[in-house]
Amino acid sequence: MEQPQDEDVELKEPANEENVEVRKITFHEAGFRDGSRNSGSPLALSICLNAIYAKFQNEEKELVEKQKQAKEPYLNEKSEKEIEIKALAISKTNKEEQIKTVEGNIRLVKDTIEDLKFEINDLVRNPEKYHISASKGASTKFWIGLIILLPLSLYLFTFYISTSYSAFFKQFDATSTVIMNILDSKAFEKAWKDGGLEGAFVTFIPFVFLGLGYLIHMFGENKSWKNYTKIGLLFLTTFIFDAILAYQIEESIYKANREIDSLPFNLWIAFSKIQFWGIIFAGFVVYVIWGVVFDFIMKEHREKDKIKHEQQRRQKDIQIHKDRITDIEGQKEILITELANIKESTVKAEGRIIELQRIIDSVIIPTKEYVLYASEYVKGWITFVSEKLRISQTEKNNLQNDCIACYHENLKNVGASDDAQNAVYLPAL
């Protein structure tokens, strides 16, 4: 038994009413005749109905124009699906091109990030390559200068604390050596023991000299005769202050060791003392060296800052590019999803075309007509049972019920029903 499949479609030209009536009478008469030959047997009715369906199917195959009309909606839908597939193919190509473009953009951004990372490392070695006016190895020079500056600063703190205490507050002892009188290792402690004013004086006086050194550096930033004059005055002030400290210390030492016939201490006596010049140069020369080193490391720090600034700028650019990659990756995911939807729609459309082609290549059976003719055939069969078969009324009723059950079973087997209006049935090939 062929298994019919149903499809919803509306026949465009129903059969001619006159032909339908003639055909109904023919089926009714055939049912009456076949019922008389088989004594109204339900089993024979089932076999006859199967034969009628096969005959009805063969007749429908021969109705070429009717089949063409029934298949027209399927042909139209197939054409629409073919057009849809072509449009989907164009969309698929476009999406693939867009994905390739997006992937190319991602590669370009990643290459840019790698270039920026290389520049960050290369900036220190070749700043002029990137049009940055900074010296090579600025970081190394800066740290070397800082290492030198720290002990020099410590020396100046020690020197000025000791000499300022010796010059202004210390009581000299004639039995002490010159070095002990000039440099007192406990000057800081003794100054604070003598009083808060003395302690504060010796504690903060080194910052005066460091401040002068800082001013010298700042004036040296802008090259002009006015600033050079200020720098000269600052050096002169430092030298004079060192000379005052040296004079004060030498005078105190001289008085501690003075004899009755010794001359009063004066500037010429101070100039003649080697310790006087030793104190000056031990402070002033080291101070000059400290100022030069400080100025050097500040310049190197500025050079280092130029490179660091460029490195930080490139780091920010890298982060911007990484954020851009994230955005582009999001666009790529959307395109991939859309491409997958296009492919899915294409597969569905192609599957539908296969189904439609299968329907087009097959024979469409109008269920409504078959039900109409099959019911007339069964009516003729039951008419014979009711009018011509000589059995009791109870047996007739049972036989009629069995025949009606066979009729409904046949409709079920061929996929037809009394309420089927616009359905057509496709026998499996």
Side-chain angles (χ1 to χ4, degrees):
M1 178 68 66
E2 294 175 327
Q3 297 298 325
Q5 299 176 353
D6 60 336
E7 294 288 340
D8 291 330
V9 70
E10 185 176 353
L11 296 178
K12 292 187 176 180
E13 293 185 9
N16 184 276
E17 291 184 4
E18 184 178 349
N19 293 337
V20 170
E21 290 299 323
V22 171
R23 204 172 183 187
K24 285 172 64 178
I25 294 171
T26 301
F27 273 92
H28 187 90
E29 292 175 349
F32 186 91
R33 184 178 60 252
D34 292 340
S36 65
R37 291 174 182 174
N38 295 283
S39 301
S41 170
L43 179 60
L45 175 61
S46 178
I47 295 171
C48 289
L49 285 173
N50 290 335
I52 287 172
Y53 180 77
K55 180 184 177 182
F56 181 80
Q57 186 182 44
N58 290 331
E59 289 176 353
E60 291 297 325
K61 290 179 182 178
E62 300 301 324
L63 301 175
V64 177
E65 190 62 29
K66 186 177 180 180
Q67 287 291 314
K68 183 179 179 182
Q69 292 176 358
K71 294 175 182 178
E72 186 175 352
Y74 299 99
L75 290 167
N76 292 337
E77 184 180 354
K78 181 186 175 186
S79 298
E80 291 174 359
K81 291 296 178 182
E82 288 173 345
I83 294 172
E84 180 183 346
I85 287 175
K86 290 180 181 179
L88 289 171
I90 295 172
S91 298
K92 178 175 175 287
T93 302
N94 291 337
K95 293 298 178 185
E96 289 174 344
E97 290 296 326
Q98 290 176 11
I99 290 173
K100 288 181 181 179
T101 302
V102 168
E103 290 175 343
N105 292 337
I106 291 174
R107 285 194 296 271
L108 288 174
V109 176
K110 287 183 176 179
D111 291 341
T112 302
I113 290 175
E114 292 302 318
D115 292 340
L116 288 171
K117 288 180 178 179
F118 174 80
E119 289 179 8
I120 288 173
N121 294 326
D122 195 46
L123 273 168
V124 179
R125 295 186 293 269
N126 301 299
E128 70 282 352
K129 179 180 177 181
Y130 306 98
H131 309 291
I132 300 172
S133 57
S135 59
K136 297 180 180 179
S139 181
T140 303
K141 295 176 182 178
F142 169 80
W143 289 110
I144 293 174
L146 186 62
I147 292 172
I148 296 173
L149 185 68
L150 290 176
L152 286 177
S153 299
L154 183 61
Y155 169 83
L156 289 177
F157 265 89
T158 304
F159 177 81
Y160 283 112
I161 287 174
S162 179
T163 53
S164 62
Y165 177 75
S166 298
F168 298 108
F169 307 112
K170 185 176 181 179
Q171 299 295 324
F172 286 86
D173 186 359
T175 59
S176 299
T177 63
V178 175
I179 296 299
M180 290 176 61
N181 287 324
I182 297 174
L183 299 175
D184 192 335
S185 60
K186 296 183 178 181
F188 185 79
E189 180 182 349
K190 290 178 179 179
W192 282 103
K193 284 183 178 181
D194 291 344
L197 181 62
E198 292 85 347
F201 181 83
V202 299
T203 300
F204 295 114
I205 197 168
F207 291 100
V208 174
F209 291 92
L210 297 181
L212 292 173
Y214 181 75
L215 289 174
I216 291 172
H217 163 72
M218 293 303 295
F219 289 137
E221 289 287 307
N222 299 317
K223 310 298 181 184
S224 67
W225 286 107
K226 183 178 180 181
N227 285 337
Y228 289 148
T229 302
K230 292 177 181 179
I231 291 172
L233 291 174
L234 288 174
F235 275 120
L236 180 61
T237 300
T238 305
F239 180 82
I240 292 173
F241 194 88
D242 284 339
I244 291 172
L245 290 176
Y247 185 88
Q248 286 288 102
I249 293 171
E250 278 299 316
E251 183 180 16
S252 298
I253 295 173
Y254 184 83
K255 289 180 179 179
N257 294 284
R258 185 176 60 180
E259 296 178 357
I260 297 174
D261 56 348
S262 296
L263 295 174
F265 189 80
N266 55 48
L267 190 59
W268 299 111
I269 294 175
F271 286 165
S272 65
K273 297 289 185 179
I274 190 66
Q275 295 92 339
F276 174 82
W277 296 107
I279 294 171
I280 291 176
F281 287 105
F284 182 75
V285 173
V286 174
Y287 171 78
V288 171
I289 295 172
W290 181 90
V292 172
V293 174
F294 177 78
D295 184 67
F296 172 79
I297 67 168
M298 291 300 290
K299 290 180 180 178
E300 293 302 317
H301 185 267
R302 186 170 58 251
E303 299 294 305
K304 181 170 167 284
D305 276 351
K306 290 180 182 178
I307 296 173
K308 186 177 180 180
H309 171 74
E310 292 297 324
Q311 289 175 326
Q312 290 175 343
R313 186 174 66 82
R314 283 164 173 77
Q315 286 288 2
K316 291 179 180 178
D317 290 342
I318 288 174
Q319 187 57 50
I320 292 172
H321 288 307
K322 286 182 177 179
D323 294 339
R324 185 182 173 196
I325 287 177
T326 301
D327 293 338
I328 298 175
E329 289 284 359
Q331 296 174 12
K332 180 182 175 183
E333 290 298 323
I334 294 173
L335 291 172
I336 290 173
T337 302
E338 292 176 350
L339 179 61
N341 292 336
I342 291 172
K343 290 180 179 179
E344 183 180 355
S345 299
T346 302
V347 170
K348 288 181 179 179
E350 290 173 345
R352 181 58 180 165
I353 286 177
I354 293 173
E355 292 177 1
L356 293 169
Q357 188 61 49
R358 185 164 172 263
I359 294 171
I360 293 167
D361 293 339
S362 301
V363 178
I364 298 176
I365 308 300
T367 302
K368 183 178 179 181
E369 291 185 30
Y370 172 71
V371 172
L372 180 65
Y373 300 136
S375 65
E376 287 297 325
Y377 181 85
V378 173
K379 286 178 182 178
W381 190 287
I382 291 176
T383 299
F384 167 77
V385 172
S386 176
E387 295 179 357
K388 301 295 182 181
L389 192 60
R390 297 183 180 277
I391 56 176
S392 66
Q393 188 61 39
T394 301
E395 289 177 325
K396 284 183 180 182
N397 291 337
N398 292 334
L399 188 59
Q400 288 173 357
N401 290 334
D402 291 341
C403 289
I404 292 173
C406 287
Y407 166 69
H408 288 297
E409 183 66 25
N410 174 261
L411 293 182
K412 180 180 179 181
N413 289 337
V414 301
S417 61
D418 290 331
D419 59 352
Q421 297 297 324
N422 298 321
V424 296
Y425 287 79
L426 172 66
L429 298 178

